[in-house]
C-alpha cells in the first residue's frame, strides 16, 4: 500500500510550562543539576524537602509498575528506602537504586510470563465468575508470590474473556495473552538505566505540581515535530495490540482515506520509506512504528498489512 503524505490540520497547544526543564542527554550525575533548575524557576518550591523526595519516589514506583503486578510489597518497601538514598548519592553518579528497580521489574515480568504459560496450558478453563478489581489504585501490592499469582489468575481470565468477546477462539486467545506477557519481558529487557533516570526525572517534576514536567530528548523531538508539522503521517489513527500496530480509524481527507485501500483493523507488519527496503515492525513499540511511517510532505511510504 503506497501513500503520499499531505498537509494535516494544525492546532494550537498551550502549555503551562512554569517549572519545566529539559536536558539533551540525561545521566545520574546530571539529575542534581536538573533538579536545581526546577527549583530556580519554580513558583513555589525552591529547595529539596523530604516531602518532595517522598512524592518523587512514590510517583516513580507508580510509573514503573502502574498495574501493581511486577513488584511485591516487600520489594516496594525496600526500593523506597534505597531510592530516597539516591538523592544523596546521585551527585557522585551513584544511582544503583534505579538499576535495582530495573532488575526487579525484569524479574517480575519473567515470573509473570512463566506463570501465564503454565496457567494457560492444555487444562486451562475460563472462569466466567472470576472478579477482578481493574483499578490498580484500589488494589494493594501483593505481599508474596502466591498472592500475586492469585491476582494474575484473575487478570488472565479477564484478558481471555476480552479476547473471546472479540470473536477470538480460545486457542488463539491463549496465544495472544501469552504473547502479551512475552512482550512485557521483551520491552522491560530493552529498558536501559538511562530510561529509568528519565522516569525518575519525570517523577520528580510531577512531585512538584501537576503542571511541571520533564521532556526527554525523544519527547522534545516529538513535540517539535507536532508543533512545526515538519513531518507528516498518512492520516490514520493507530493502536498497539498484542505486538501488532493496528489501524483504528481512517482520518477523513487524509492520504489513507484518498487511497481507499487501508481499512480499520488492518495490522501493519512492515514499513518501507520511498526507495528503501521494508522493515518488519511486528512487536515494535507503537511510537517507533509511527516514526518509521512518518515523513516529509510529498514523500511516499509503503505499508505491508495483514487484513
Amino acid at each position: 500500500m503506497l501513500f503520499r503524505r499531505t498537509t494535516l490540520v494544525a492546532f494550537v497547544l498551550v502549555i503551562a510550562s512554569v517549572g519545566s526543564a529539559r536536558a539533551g542527554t540525561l545521566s545520574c550525575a546530571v539529575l542534581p543539576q536538573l533538579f536545581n533548575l526546577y527549583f530556580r524557576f519554580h513558583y513555589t518550591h525552591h529547595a529539596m524537602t523530604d516531602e518532595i523526595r517522598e512524592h518523587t519516589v512514590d510517583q516513580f514506583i507508580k510509573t514503573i509498575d502502574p498495574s501493581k503486578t511486577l513488584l511485591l510489597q516487600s520489594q516496594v518497601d525496600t526500593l523506597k528506602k534505597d531510592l530516597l538514598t539516591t538523592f544523596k548519592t546521585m551527585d557522585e553518579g551513584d544511582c544503583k537504586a534505579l538499576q535495582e528497580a530495573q532488575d526487579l521489574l525484569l524479574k517480575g515480568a519473567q515470573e509473570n510470563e512463566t506463570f501465564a504459560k503454565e496457567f494457560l496450558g492444555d487444562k486451562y478453563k475460563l472462569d466466567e465468575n472470576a472478579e477482578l478489581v481493574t483499578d490498580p489504585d484500589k488494589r494493594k501490592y501483593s505481599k508474596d508470590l502466591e498472592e500475586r499469582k492469585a491476582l494474575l489468575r484473575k487478570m488472565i481470565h479477564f484478558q481471555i474473556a476480552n479476547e473471546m468477546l472479540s470473536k477470538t477462539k480460545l486457542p488463539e486467545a491463549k496465544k495472544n495473552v501469552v504473547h502479551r506477557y512475552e512482550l512485557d519481558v521483551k520491552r522491560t529487557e530493552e529498558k536501559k538505566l538511562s530510561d529509568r533516570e528519565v522516569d525518575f526525572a519525570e517523577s520528580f517534576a510531577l512531585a512538584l505540581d501537576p503542571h511541571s514536567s520533564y521532556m526527554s530528548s525523544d519527547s522534545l523531538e516529538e513535540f517539535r515535530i507536532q508543533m512545526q508539522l515538519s513531518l507528516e503521517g498518512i492520516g490514520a489513527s493507530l493502536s498497539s495490540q498484542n505486538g501488532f500496530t493496528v489501524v483504528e480509524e481512517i482520518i477523513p481527507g487524509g492520504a489513507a482515506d484518498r487511497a481507499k485501500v487501508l481499512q480499520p483493523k488492518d495490522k501493519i507488519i512492515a514499513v518501507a520509506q520511498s526507495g528503501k527496503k521494508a522493515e518488519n515492525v511486528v512487536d515494535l513499540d507503537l511510537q517507533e512504528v509511527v516514526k518509521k511511517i512518518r515523513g516529509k510532505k510529498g514523500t511516499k511510504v509503503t505499508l505491508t498489512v495483514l487484513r
Side-chain angles (χ1 to χ4, degrees):
M1 295 183 181
L2 187 63
F3 301 92
R4 186 179 296 276
R5 303 179 182 87
T6 56
T7 303
L8 303 179
V9 178
F11 63 95
V12 177
L13 178 64
V14 179
I15 299 177
S17 59
V18 177
S20 296
R22 63 180 176 85
T25 302
L26 193 63
S27 65
C28 182
V30 172
L31 287 174
Q33 302 170 43
L34 178 65
F35 295 168
N36 286 333
L37 277 176
Y38 278 90
F39 292 134
R40 180 181 174 186
F41 294 106
H42 199 273
Y43 61 94
T44 302
H45 302 291
H46 302 295
M48 186 69 75
T49 64
D50 289 342
E51 184 180 16
I52 292 174
R53 293 187 186 95
E54 290 171 4
H55 284 176
T56 299
V57 169
D58 288 341
Q59 182 60 47
F60 176 75
I61 291 175
K62 185 175 182 179
T63 297
I64 62 176
D65 186 14
S67 63
K68 296 182 179 176
T69 57
L70 299 176
L71 299 174
L72 301 177
Q73 184 62 61
S74 59
Q75 294 171 328
V76 170
D77 294 339
T78 300
L79 261 184
K80 284 186 176 182
K81 293 178 183 178
D82 294 344
L83 289 167
L84 286 172
T85 303
T86 299
F87 283 96
K88 299 178 181 179
T89 61
M90 62 176 63
D91 279 319
E92 301 172 358
D94 181 358
C95 285
K96 289 186 292 186
L98 300 182
Q99 184 60 57
E100 175 190 348
Q102 170 62 14
D103 294 342
L104 287 173
L105 291 172
L106 179 56
K107 182 174 182 288
Q110 291 170 334
E111 289 171 347
N112 289 355
E113 177 193 354
T114 299
F115 176 78
K117 288 179 176 177
E118 292 174 352
F119 185 57
L120 288 171
D122 296 336
K123 297 181 179 180
Y124 173 78
K125 184 178 180 181
L126 176 63
D127 181 0
E128 298 181 359
N129 297 315
E131 296 184 5
L132 172 69
V133 178
T134 57
D135 185 354
D137 290 337
K138 296 180 180 179
R139 294 199 307 260
K140 295 181 180 180
Y141 287 96
S142 301
K143 62 183 179 182
D144 53 38
L145 283 174
E146 288 307 311
E147 192 169 291
R148 188 168 76 190
K149 287 180 180 179
L151 172 61
L152 286 173
R153 288 187 190 97
K154 295 177 182 180
M155 293 191 75
I156 290 172
H157 285 313
F158 183 77
Q159 291 160 348
I160 291 289
N162 281 337
E163 289 279 345
M164 296 181 72
L165 284 172
S166 301
K167 309 300 182 183
T168 304
K169 300 296 184 182
L170 181 57
E172 187 66 22
K174 288 164 61 176
K175 289 181 182 179
N176 290 344
V177 171
V178 166
H179 188 53
R180 186 179 304 179
Y181 285 91
E182 291 172 339
L183 280 179
D184 286 343
V185 172
K186 179 176 182 290
R187 288 172 180 165
T188 304
E189 285 176 331
E190 291 171 350
K191 288 286 185 179
K192 303 174 183 176
L193 179 58
S194 58
D195 295 318
R196 296 306 175 200
E197 290 163 349
V198 168
D199 290 338
F200 201 69
E202 291 173 346
S203 299
F204 168 80
L206 284 173
L208 297 178
D209 66 82
H211 306 293
S212 291
S213 61
Y214 170 77
M215 277 189 176
S216 66
S217 55
D218 286 343
S219 298
L220 179 62
E221 182 62 24
E222 177 71 19
F223 176 73
R224 284 174 172 163
I225 289 171
Q226 299 264 354
M227 291 297 97
Q228 298 171 3
L229 292 179
S230 56
L231 296 176
E232 298 174 3
I234 57 171
S237 174
L238 308 176
S239 70
S240 181
Q241 299 176 23
N242 296 317
F244 287 100
T245 297
V246 180
V247 177
E248 292 290 337
E249 180 184 5
I250 305 299
I251 309 301
D257 184 38
R258 291 193 304 278
K260 305 297 181 187
V261 181
L262 199 63
Q263 297 178 9
K265 298 185 179 180
D266 281 349
K267 297 177 179 178
I268 301 173
I269 61 172
V271 177
Q273 291 291 342
S274 181
K276 295 185 178 180
K277 184 179 179 181
E279 296 183 58
N280 188 309
V281 296
V282 176
D283 288 348
L284 206 61
D285 184 76
L286 179 60
Q287 188 176 6
E288 292 300 315
V289 179
V290 171
K291 286 181 181 179
K292 293 182 181 298
I293 293 175
R294 198 160 45 191
K296 292 185 179 297
K297 179 182 176 181
T299 59
K300 298 178 180 179
V301 62
T302 302
L303 307 181
T304 304
V305 304
L306 290 176
R307 178 141 299 159

